[in-house]
Amino acid sequence: MLTYCRTLWNILAGRILLLRRDNSRGEITTTVIVTALMAVLAIALIAIIAAKLTAKANSIDLGS
């Protein structure tokens, strides 16, 4: 069991070292900003649709 844990630890440590050397990780700030803007736009769109549906539902005459 100890040998298995040591092997796993060495593999993980090697992977982490390889990832740290890789300088092509991308633009994280830009990705976060674009994702946040898309989330805000989606929430706004849902709010607009919900408001229009509620207004339409309230305008229906049920005959009472």
Side-chain angles (χ1 to χ4, degrees):
M1 181 69 175
L2 186 59
T3 305
Y4 177 75
C5 290
R6 284 182 183 169
T7 303
L8 184 60
W9 179 261
N10 287 334
I11 290 171
L12 288 174
R15 291 280 211 171
I16 290 171
L17 286 175
L18 284 174
L19 288 174
R20 284 187 178 173
R21 286 188 208 155
D22 187 18
N23 290 330
S24 64
R25 288 184 281 182
E27 297 288 330
I28 293 182
T29 306
T30 306
T31 305
V32 169
I33 290 172
V34 169
T35 305
L37 287 174
M38 289 176 65
V40 168
L41 289 174
I43 291 170
L45 183 64
I46 290 170
I48 291 169
I49 292 172
K52 289 189 179 216
L53 286 174
T54 304
K56 183 66 175 176
N58 288 336
S59 70
I60 296 174
D61 183 23
L62 298 176
S64 51

